[in-house]
Amino acid sequence: MKKVGRRIVAGRPVMLGSLQYGLGSSLRAVDRPDDVLAALDAAEEAYGDVLDTGRRDMVQRITDVQVRRARTFQELGRVTDSILEMDGVVRAAVLAGPDGDVFEFELGLSRLLYTNALVLNQYGDPDLILSSADAVVRLITSNGLKVNTLEGGDRAYYIDMLRCAATIAMREHAEQGRAEIAASAGRIAVDTWAEVERSKFPQLIREMGEMPSMYRNSIVRAAACYGKLTEALGQRELSQRYRDFARGLDADVAGRAEQNWLGIGIGIGSITMGTALHRARNLLGVGQVPDEVLLLGGPDNARSRFTTNQRCPRSQWAASARELARIVAPLARHPQLVATLGLEAHLLYASSLAVAEDATAWHVANSRHWMYLLRDLVKAFEQAGDQAICQDLERWTDVTCEVINPFHDPHGH
C-alpha cells in the first residue's frame, strides 16, 4: 500500500510539492528548522519540475517556498543566507512586473517587501529596510478601497501588514531624523485599529484580547512605539495615553517594543550605507572613496532600492564588493563603518559567486580578498559583542579558507 501511495505522489509533482510545503509548516511549528529546509528544498524541486512543463502558476508557489526558506534561515541565525534568499525573490518580482491583474501583483509585492523588511531588520541597511516598509505602506494604502472589499480574513491580514510596515517606517524615519514623516507613519499604524480614548480602554482591551495573537501583538507594538515617538516629540499626554494602552493590552510585548526603541532619538541610530561611505571619504579622502563608489549608497532620498543587489548591475557585483572591501581595510579603528560597509561587500561577494558561470575562476579572482574582508567584519562585530552574526560570518570564513587553499601558495608566492 505504501509503494502504491508513493507511486501516486511521484506521478503528481504538484501534490508532492504541496505535501512537502505543508510538511515544512508542520516542522516549523514544532521548532525543527533544519528539517524544514529539507522539506522546502523538496517542494521547490517538485514545483520546478512542473514549471518546466510550462505551468506558469508554479512561479507563485516557488516564491512562497523561497520566502518561507528565508524566514527559516533567519530563525537558524544564518543571516547572510536569509538576506540573499529574499534579495533574489524581491529582485525577480520587481523585474517581472505585473502579469495580468495589477492589484494581485501589488498585493503580492507588498507581502514580499514586508518580509524583506523583517529579514533585513537587525543587520540590513536602514535605507533598504525603510524603502521596503514605505513601499508596503504605499501599495496597501493606494489600494485601500479594493483591500476593504476582500473577505474578512484576507482584509485583516493586509491591514495588519500595513500596521506592521508603518510601525517599521515610523522607527526608521525617526532614526534618520525625519520627525514629521515618522509621525505620519505612526498615525497610519495606530489608525488601523482605533484612536485611543482613555474612557474606552476597558472595552478596547476586551475586544482586542479576543483577536488572534499576531494581530493583537502588532497593535501593542504600534501603540508602544507611537507612545515613544510622541514622547520624543514632546507630546507627553498623547505619549502616556498610548503607552498605557499598550501596557494594558499586553505588558510583556509593550515592554519589549519600548526596549527596542530605547536609544532611538530623532536622528540617532544605525547608519545607512550612504552615510557610512561619506564618513569613510572624510576619513580616507576622495581618492580612496571616489564618486562612483559613493553611488553604491544610493542618491539622497532614493526609495527605489529594496536589496543590496540592486546597488549595481549583476556584472559589477564582484567588482563593487572589492571596492568596498578595499575601503574597509584601513578603517579598523572605526568598527561601525567596517560593519556597515563590510556586510554589504560580503553580500555582494556571495551574490556574485552564486551566479558565477565558472566558480573556480571566480574563487581564484575573489576569495582571498573576501576572506580578509570577513576577518575584518568578525573583529568589528566582536567589538560590539554580537556573537550571533560572528558565528554566521565565521562559517563563511571557513568556506573561503577551504576554497583558497588549492588556489594559493600558503607562503604567498
Side-chain angles (χ1 to χ4, degrees), residues 353 356-367 403 407:
L353 173 59
E357 294 182 2
D358 186 337
T360 299
W362 190 97
H363 282 300
V364 170
N366 298 293
S367 282
V403 169
F407 299 127

Side-chain angles (χ1 to χ4, degrees), residues 66-68 70-71 74 79-94 108-136 157 161 165 168 171-172 303-311 344 347:
Q66 293 167 337
V67 169
R68 182 161 293 180
R71 295 306 303 272
Q74 188 177 34
V79 176
T80 303
D81 291 322
S82 178
I83 292 175
L84 291 178
E85 189 79 24
M86 282 310 302
D87 195 312
V89 173
V90 170
R91 194 160 35 87
V94 171
L109 183 59
S110 70
R111 293 194 301 271
L112 294 182
L113 293 177
Y114 174 58
T115 304
N116 191 54
L118 294 178
V119 165
L120 290 170
N121 185 53
Q122 189 169 4
Y123 297 105
D125 181 350
D127 271 345
L128 300 182
I129 299 170
L130 186 52
S131 64
S132 294
D134 275 348
V136 173
Y157 171 78
M161 187 189 299
I168 293 172
R171 181 198 67 201
E172 296 298 332
R303 291 291 176 265
S304 59
R305 293 178 178 176
F306 307 116
T307 69
T308 294
N309 288 346
Q310 290 176 316
R311 297 190 186 281
E344 294 295 317
L347 292 169

